[in-house]
Amino acid sequence: KFKDCEADDLVRFVLSEDCVGTFSWGSKLIHLESREKIELPRFFRKKPRRLMHEEYEQACEPEFDQNGQRVAEPLLRGPLCRASFYNVVRSLTSGEEKLLTAVNYVVGRLLNEPVSLLQDIVEDFAIGEEKNFLSRLVEFARNFLKTKYSGHLICTDDDASTHGLVYSLQ
């Protein structure tokens, strides 16, 4: 048994940019409890699971000075047992990084470059909280376009202008 805060820290660690990246397509349905499900983008591991586990355990240890005095609290609460760590990693990720150069090139040209330009505009012209808010919106839009937009293209049973290809040429 473990505490919810320890599980939250583990999930946050596994889904950090240092450990995973997102595939340019698709999503994965995660079953949390008997009736609770969440849809996440597909993640690939940037590091082997063994190395991720070592780094996770290190982040759960407090920092000591040369005299054995504690100088810093652990970065994460935990650690959860090794089996739980591997189960979480297996549930959230879809494997090691693969060679995806053609797809990454297309995604880079059609999605990442325009999003980067929008982020630059936000950084240059927005101020304070508005900058943070707009930056988050740009990132949400990027994730939507990478993982959900293709599903919206095939919706034709409503009058939403963002659904269906029929509206794209009007």
Side-chain angles (χ1 to χ4, degrees):
K1 218 56 175 153
F2 50 85
K3 299 175 185 170
D4 287 346
C5 61
E6 292 173 348
D8 289 345
D9 281 357
L10 172 57
V11 170
R12 233 179 254 108
F13 174 82
V14 169
L15 295 181
S16 70
E17 282 186 16
D18 292 338
C19 293
V20 298
T22 56
F23 281 113
S24 301
W25 62 89
S27 59
K28 186 174 186 176
L29 194 62
I30 307 290
H31 299 275
L32 299 176
E33 292 183 12
S34 60
R35 288 182 275 175
E36 190 175 2
K37 299 175 188 172
I38 186 170
E39 190 172 4
L40 294 173
R42 287 203 177 274
F43 294 104
F44 63 87
R45 291 186 298 278
K46 292 180 178 179
K47 303 175 181 180
R49 288 179 289 190
R50 177 193 50 75
L51 180 59
M52 288 172 60
H53 184 257
E54 289 173 8
E55 290 176 1
Y56 168 69
E57 285 191 328
Q58 287 174 357
C60 292
E61 295 293 323
E63 194 175 315
F64 296 96
D65 66 11
Q66 296 171 341
N67 300 326
Q69 299 293 319
R70 183 184 282 198
V71 293
E73 293 298 317
L75 298 173
L76 302 173
R77 293 165 286 202
L80 270 61
C81 71
R82 185 170 182 240
S84 295
F85 177 88
Y86 279 92
N87 284 336
V88 168
V89 170
R90 189 177 316 109
S91 296
L92 294 176
T93 62
S94 298
E96 304 294 333
E97 184 174 9
K98 297 176 179 143
L99 184 59
L100 303 167
T101 54
V103 171
N104 286 337
Y105 172 77
V106 172
V107 170
R109 297 284 296 174
L110 297 177
L111 182 64
N112 293 337
E113 288 176 11
V115 166
S116 179
L117 178 63
L118 283 173
Q119 286 289 13
D120 290 344
I121 291 169
V122 167
E123 289 292 320
D124 290 343
F125 297 106
I127 300 170
E129 279 302 310
E130 184 180 49
K131 181 187 289 190
N132 294 336
F133 176 72
L134 291 173
S135 184
R136 280 197 325 263
L137 287 180
V138 170
E139 188 60 26
F140 290 149
R142 183 180 80 70
N143 287 335
F144 170 80
L145 291 171
K146 279 182 80 170
T147 61
K148 296 274 192 192
Y149 182 68
S150 61
H152 285 253
L153 289 176
I154 58 174
C155 294
T156 57
D157 57 348
D158 61 18
D159 291 328
S161 61
T162 59
H163 292 174
L165 290 173
V166 293
Y167 295 105
S168 65
L169 300 175
Q170 292 181 348

